[in-house]
Amino acid sequence: MALLDKFASTLSIREKLGAAGQDPTSVVIDELISPTEGMVRGRYTILAGTNNYLGLTFDPACVAAGKKAIDELGTGTTGSRMANGSFAAHTALERDLADFFQLPYGMVFSTGYAANLGMLSALVKPGDTVLLDADCHASLYDGCQMSGANLFRFRHNDLSSLEKRLQRLGDEAKNCLLITEGMYSVLGDTAPLAGIVELKNRYGALLLVDEAHSLGVYGENGCGVAEAEGVSGEVDFLVGTFSKSLGAMGGFCVSPHPELELIRYVSRPFIFTASSSPSIIASTREALRQLRARPELRETLWRNANRLYQGLEALGLPLGPQVSPVVAVRLSRDQEPLSRWNRLLNAGVYTNLMIPPASPDGFSYFRCSVSAAHTEEQLEKIISAFASL
Ligand code: PMP
């Protein structure tokens, strides 16, 4: 049973997580009332940690598209696209995405996590070099690890740290992949993509940007931070997810490089897993249509983000560096996070609790994600719950 001994430490972590009341990793939302409200342990709760940026999960057109797809195509695809074939909707979504980003190639994966694993394990190999922003998401780290490439981190959002790394690589810089996110998921800050693109062009590297949290949030058309920074055409591989602004589940990559079409043949996380079910693809296609047709969703999201950021700032709380739809409240080292997080939950507000090692800088955070579907009243309740701490 020695193999199982290691779980003793996991058990002790779980016991500590639950000691202050509800374990934040096992919250059950018994009933959903709307994209931003639910019932948790019998209590009406405002959901302030959903990543449902545009609030589209209950959008009537998206729901109808998902239902219609189940009626017409069934509940699942029951296999991978390589072995069992694609449904026409998978390829249509790939064309929709390419069209949205005004790029020639698009590829859909079963999750955002699989998109990062699938892209990185195919793009780089042992002997290749990756330079990764230190605060990148676990899926980007895992993809690099799966690839076996040499991995070096540069300091978060620090162009001079990135340039030093590139200089140290010498000629190898031309054979190197840079990886960043658009908007970062924990603090809501954005990458200096214009500067990163300038460096990648100067050193002849390639760039992959994960816009998981910035799709539908940043840019004139909602394409993300690369669009907002005026460098969309210069990103070599732009990855993202359907699980946030698009309110479903799945991942994608779009690219100006025809090699993206060949990645289908070599990417194990694409080949060896079932393709997304018809209802997911259909609701995602509809959500993308909504995202494009209704810029007012983005405007409401930003109005709400500004309100929450300003309201929490006025309470004197230390927040992430930028106003954004991710509003992170930092706790000081002597503030015990679990009991405070439980107090917020008991006050009827659910936020994400980020504690080390999941937080980027050793601090704990209450991470709020704002939605276009939050009402003014809900935002005021979130602010009052923080005030009552
Ligand atoms: N990239 C980033 C930056 C993320 O934050 C996440 C999920 N939180 C993912 C990728 C993975 O996406 P998914 O949950 O859709 O698999």
Side-chain angles (χ1 to χ4, degrees):
M1 284 306 194
L3 274 181
L4 302 181
D5 288 350
K6 57 176 143 345
F7 291 103
S9 60
T10 315
L11 179 63
S12 114
I13 292 172
R14 192 177 74 176
E15 280 165 2
K16 278 186 203 135
L17 286 172
Q22 167 80 59
D23 166 358
T25 64
S26 60
V27 174
V28 176
I29 299 158
D30 294 312
E31 195 187 320
L32 270 171
I33 299 165
S34 75
T36 53
E37 303 156 292
M39 296 300 289
V40 178
R41 290 179 149 189
R43 182 182 286 112
Y44 169 83
T45 303
I46 295 170
L47 305 175
T50 60
N51 302 320
N52 196 353
Y53 298 117
L54 300 183
L56 286 175
T57 47
F58 284 84
D59 177 82
C62 295
V63 171
K67 284 181 179 166
K68 183 165 179 279
I70 288 191
D71 286 341
E72 290 175 2
L73 298 164
T75 53
T77 62
T78 65
S80 102
R81 291 174 64 184
M82 284 297 260
N84 304 59
S86 296
F87 285 15
H90 292 114
T91 53
L93 177 54
E94 287 172 339
R95 281 195 304 276
D96 291 350
L97 286 161
D99 178 64
F100 176 55
F101 287 96
Q102 296 187 1
L103 288 167
Y105 305 102
M107 182 173 169
V108 163
F109 293 82
S110 299
T111 65
Y113 183 81
N116 281 336
L117 250 56
M119 286 307 299
L120 293 172
S121 60
L123 272 176
V124 284
K125 295 286 169 210
D128 295 332
T129 300
V130 168
L131 299 185
L132 175 85
D133 184 292
D135 283 5
C136 275
H137 187 256
S139 54
L140 294 163
Y141 276 93
D142 291 356
C144 292
Q145 204 167 15
M146 188 174 173
S147 75
N150 303 319
L151 169 65
F152 300 100
R153 295 185 304 167
F154 58 93
R155 277 206 308 275
H156 175 53
N157 275 352
D158 186 332
L159 291 174
S160 65
S161 167
L162 172 57
E163 178 151 26
K164 268 189 214 132
R165 286 281 185 206
L166 284 163
Q167 275 165 351
R168 250 180 258 162
L169 288 178
D171 268 358
E172 180 57 20
K174 291 197 195 69
N175 190 30
C176 142
L177 180 70
L178 315 183
I179 304 178
T180 74
E181 292 181 24
M183 174 168 82
Y184 281 84
S185 57
V186 178
L187 298 185
D189 52 337
T190 54
L193 284 184
I196 291 171
V197 161
E198 193 276 317
L199 283 174
K200 84 123 193 163
N201 286 338
R202 187 141 49 88
Y203 286 83
L206 290 179
L207 173 64
L208 179 144
V209 179
D210 181 349
E211 299 262 29
H213 289 268
S214 18
L215 169 67
V217 172
Y218 277 91
E220 199 187 335
N221 299 299
C223 294
V225 175
E227 183 185 38
E229 293 251 319
V231 291
S232 6
E234 308 248 21
V235 173
D236 297 285
F237 298 97
L238 190 154
V239 282
T241 174
F242 307 149
S243 70
K244 304 185 196 305
S245 285
L246 298 175
M249 194 185 168
F252 70 91
C253 179
V254 288
S255 171
H257 298 289
E259 285 79 3
L260 186 66
E261 288 300 316
L262 301 176
I263 281 181
R264 295 177 197 277
Y265 294 86
V266 294
S267 172
R268 297 172 69 89
F270 176 77
I271 298 169
F272 295 107
T273 195
S275 58
S276 303
S277 61
S279 59
I280 285 182
I281 296 293
S283 79
T284 301
R285 289 190 73 197
E286 182 55 38
L288 188 59
R289 263 195 290 275
Q290 300 283 329
L291 184 161
R292 298 179 82 163
R294 294 166 64 196
E296 64 274 16
L297 287 175
R298 209 154 47 252
E299 283 159 25
T300 311
L301 170 67
W302 277 98
R303 198 167 51 246
N304 288 350
N306 273 297
R307 174 64 200 124
L308 186 64
Y309 194 96
Q310 279 156 13
L312 297 180
E313 195 176 40
L315 296 175
L317 296 170
L319 305 177
Q322 266 171 259
V323 178
S324 92
V326 171
V327 184
V329 178
R330 196 182 70 225
L331 300 184
S332 61
R333 300 232 187 253
D334 59 341
Q335 288 177 319
E336 202 286 303
L338 287 160
S339 58
R340 283 180 170 72
W341 178 86
N342 266 280
R343 277 163 60 194
L344 273 183
L345 190 65
N346 292 336
V349 173
Y350 171 76
T351 62
N352 310 123
L353 177 62
M354 316 300 289
I355 48 180
S359 63
D361 54 6
F363 284 93
S364 294
Y365 289 89
F366 296 139
R367 173 190 180 274
C368 305
S369 56
V370 179
S371 172
H374 279 124
T375 62
E376 279 175 36
E377 195 193 353
Q378 289 167 7
L379 293 170
E380 295 315 315
K381 280 194 185 150
I382 298 170
I383 296 165
S384 332
F386 273 96
S388 72
L389 277 187

